[in-house]
Amino acid sequence: MSWPKVKLSSIAQVVTGSTPSKEDDSYFGGDIPFVTPGELDNGFVLNAKQTLTQKGANVSRLLPKNSVMVCCIGSLGKVGISGVPVVTNQQINSLILDENKADPMYVYFFCQTLKQTLVDMAPKTTVSIVNKSRFSDLEIPLPPLETQKQIAAVLEKADQLRKDCQQMEQELNKLAQAVFIDMFGDPATNPMGWPIKEIGDTFELLTDYHANGSYEVLQRNVELLNESNFALMVRTTDLEKNNFVDNVKYISEHAYNFLEKTKVYGGELLVNKIGSAGKIYLMPKLDRPVSLAMNQFMIRFKKNEAISVFIYHLLSTEFGAEEIKKRVNGAVTKTIRKDALREIALPIPPVDNQLKFCQFIDVLNVLKNNQRTISHEINEQFDALLKNAFNGELNLKAA
DNA sequence: CGCTTTTGTACGCGTTGCTC
DNA sequence: GAGCAACGCGTACAAAAGCG
């Protein structure tokens, strides 16, 4: 069965957001959420980083509860629904629905299918924009109101399942920390009396892009910088996204072999030098040669002293994170120095004890991977469900 | 006045240059 | 030469200016 298609403008008032002048303080700081694209894609919007006063809302456009908000400038297709009256900035077009014609949740889920459409229709300019008139002309399949509600109810259930799955992933991460404290005690008080050692005494190598004058040598050997895709040059963004496939940089085989000290093989502890200084990562094992870009310190531990997985979790405790944070300098450009890193002193148990914890983490990682696979599948099924729902192919009786 | 386009701002990151 | 602070470019996003 397929439903008649109608323009969004025929079931809702379309409103482009606006920002009150930042010159006037009396517009800001009230209790009305001021929504920007960063706050979308998280279901109901109940609050926001910025807020407006009633006076601020009066000079912009206040949206009632249950308005569907769609980002049409920049991050096209991000969607939210207002849980309370809100105001948005001008990147967001919102639908104030005629609830006699359309169910807000139904429209909210429909708008989640629009991303690719919006991307395709936007002109290929630096900042992608779908303007209000073109947005208003988009068509939505519109079954009877009762059917819309049934479809929305099915999607809501599926959406909840998806959220529960993400929640589970977070719980597994918390579990790692809980087990750490259980096995070794809180490092802040060191109740089990492990020997206090400086990080600097536990590793055999601490290096970065500048080490060994590698950069200068690269400059003198321009041919080393050619684009042949031999080895990955891993940068902070790749680690942050945990994605080593899309938008990555490569160096030649010659350059890779030349930069002996920045080779990584997986398992090294990495520490961010500039920017989010002090942020730590564990280098994953990848199936191709990898060289480290300039923004990370790389630590490889002495085999009889420490295991990187253990130290990673030790530095992830509240106490460990605080020890790093203390050593970050710079008002504008945050940096952490090698020496400061070396002198961090922490309770470090014998390697055998560390190993037991690492074995637990191995098991946990298997669980996490399973969880991720399930989560991925559920997301795909949810997307398929969305698609079917708006093609009129959703079997409501079975659901 | 509402909508669209241009300008402003913050931040990450490769690179530069100073100091010891 | 090694280590580190910071410059400046590119990008992404946010806000104001301009236009109908």
Side-chain angles (χ1 to χ4, degrees):
Chain A
M1 199 189 302
S2 75
W3 310 107
K5 289 190 171 185
V6 302
K7 288 184 177 179
L8 288 176
S9 53
S10 72
I11 54 163
Q13 182 193 347
V14 183
V15 175
T16 305
S18 68
T19 307
S21 171
K22 296 260 165 167
E23 299 284 296
D24 194 334
D25 288 345
S26 69
Y27 291 153
F28 291 88
D31 51 11
I32 300 163
F34 179 65
V35 183
T36 62
E39 274 126 2
L40 298 181
D41 273 358
N42 281 311
F44 274 98
V45 176
L46 298 169
N47 44 50
K49 264 179 257 165
Q50 298 179 71
T51 57
L52 295 185
T53 57
Q54 189 60 50
K55 192 179 165 194
N58 289 343
V59 296
S60 43
R61 287 176 277 275
L62 189 66
L63 301 167
K65 189 180 172 216
N66 286 337
S67 300
V68 176
M69 303 172 279
V70 182
C71 180
C72 291
I73 300 181
S75 319
L76 294 177
K78 292 181 87 172
V79 185
I81 180 165
S82 58
V84 291
V86 302
V87 173
T88 78
N89 79 2
Q90 63 277 27
Q91 290 173 279
I92 298 171
N93 280 323
S94 299
L95 300 165
I96 303 175
L97 293 153
D98 179 347
E99 295 194 27
N100 295 316
K101 292 180 181 168
D103 177 63
M105 287 311 284
Y106 174 80
V107 176
Y108 164 68
F109 283 119
F110 170 74
C111 287
Q112 292 189 18
T113 66
L114 286 178
K115 186 167 184 168
Q116 196 54 48
T117 312
L118 292 169
V119 170
D120 291 344
M121 69 195 276
K124 301 285 171 277
T125 45
T126 359
V127 180
S128 32
I129 295 181
V130 173
N131 63 32
K132 185 185 175 181
S133 37
R134 301 187 71 191
F135 177 72
S136 307
D137 286 347
L138 288 172
E139 292 187 326
I140 178 171
L142 200 72
L145 199 54
E146 201 47 43
T147 311
Q148 291 177 36
K149 286 184 175 160
Q150 286 173 337
I151 291 173
V154 171
L155 292 174
E156 253 176 287
K157 268 187 200 162
D159 195 31
Q160 189 57 46
L161 193 64
R162 187 169 66 153
K163 281 176 186 156
D164 289 347
C165 214
Q166 285 164 1
Q167 179 74 20
M168 178 71 87
E169 210 171 320
Q170 286 173 16
E171 294 298 326
L172 287 174
N173 285 332
K174 279 189 204 159
L175 187 60
Q177 282 301 303
V179 168
F180 184 97
I181 300 288
D182 197 50
M183 282 178 80
F184 305 109
D186 185 346
T189 50
N190 190 18
M192 301 182 188
W194 305 115
I196 305 288
K197 290 181 187 171
E198 290 192 359
I199 290 283
D201 295 332
T202 59
F203 58 75
E204 59 187 6
L205 185 69
L206 172 86
T207 191
D208 61 76
Y209 196 45
H210 285 261
N212 210 20
S214 54
Y215 175 68
E216 281 181 45
V217 182
L218 262 189
Q219 286 292 84
R220 286 203 296 275
N221 294 273
V222 181
E223 77 277 9
L224 292 179
L225 290 163
N226 77 46
E227 291 290 318
S228 77
N229 298 354
F230 179 76
L232 271 183
M233 179 67 104
V234 166
R235 300 152 305 160
T236 308
T237 32
D238 307 324
L239 293 160
E240 193 55 42
K241 290 175 191 155
N242 196 24
N243 181 338
F244 304 92
V245 180
D246 304 316
N247 301 318
V248 290
K249 280 202 176 178
Y250 296 98
I251 56 173
S252 67
E253 181 170 8
H254 191 177
Y256 170 74
N257 288 327
F258 194 86
L259 297 171
E260 186 59 37
K261 286 201 166 184
T262 61
K263 287 180 182 176
V264 280
Y265 303 98
E268 294 87 352
L269 182 75
L270 308 180
V271 185
N272 210 331
K273 274 202 292 195
I274 308 172
S276 313
K279 182 151 189 187
I280 56 175
Y281 308 89
L282 270 176
M283 183 65 211
K285 233 185 171 65
L286 302 178
D287 57 3
R288 60 155 73 224
V290 181
S291 193
L292 201 61
M294 53 72 65
N295 203 28
Q296 301 288 329
F297 289 121
M298 184 252 285
I299 301 174
R300 209 169 280 148
F301 293 94
K302 292 179 193 167
K303 283 205 169 58
N304 56 352
E305 291 284 352
I307 303 169
S308 58
V309 173
F310 171 83
I311 300 288
Y312 175 84
H313 285 89
L314 176 54
L315 289 171
S316 299
T317 60
E318 216 171 294
F319 180 72
E322 189 57 36
E323 284 300 302
I324 294 177
K325 203 175 146 197
K326 269 196 247 172
R327 292 169 171 82
V328 174
N329 296 314
V332 183
T333 310
K334 305 264 184 234
T335 53
I336 188 161
R337 296 193 323 277
K338 263 186 187 178
D339 287 347
L341 207 56
R342 278 201 183 93
E343 72 187 15
I344 293 176
L346 299 162
I348 297 183
V351 169
D352 283 350
N353 299 61
Q354 296 180 32
L355 200 56
K356 279 181 193 147
F357 176 73
C358 295
Q359 282 163 353
F360 163 74
I361 292 293
D362 283 344
V363 175
L364 196 65
N365 281 339
V366 172
L367 290 176
K368 271 165 84 173
N369 283 337
N370 287 344
Q371 184 61 32
R372 207 166 291 144
T373 311
I374 294 168
S375 194
H376 186 74
E377 277 169 16
I378 287 186
N379 277 331
E380 283 190 345
Q381 282 177 20
F382 180 77
D383 289 342
L385 193 60
L386 268 186
K387 221 173 148 195
N388 289 340
F390 299 106
N391 287 337
E393 287 166 11
L394 187 63
N395 187 343
L396 290 168
K397 285 190 186 110

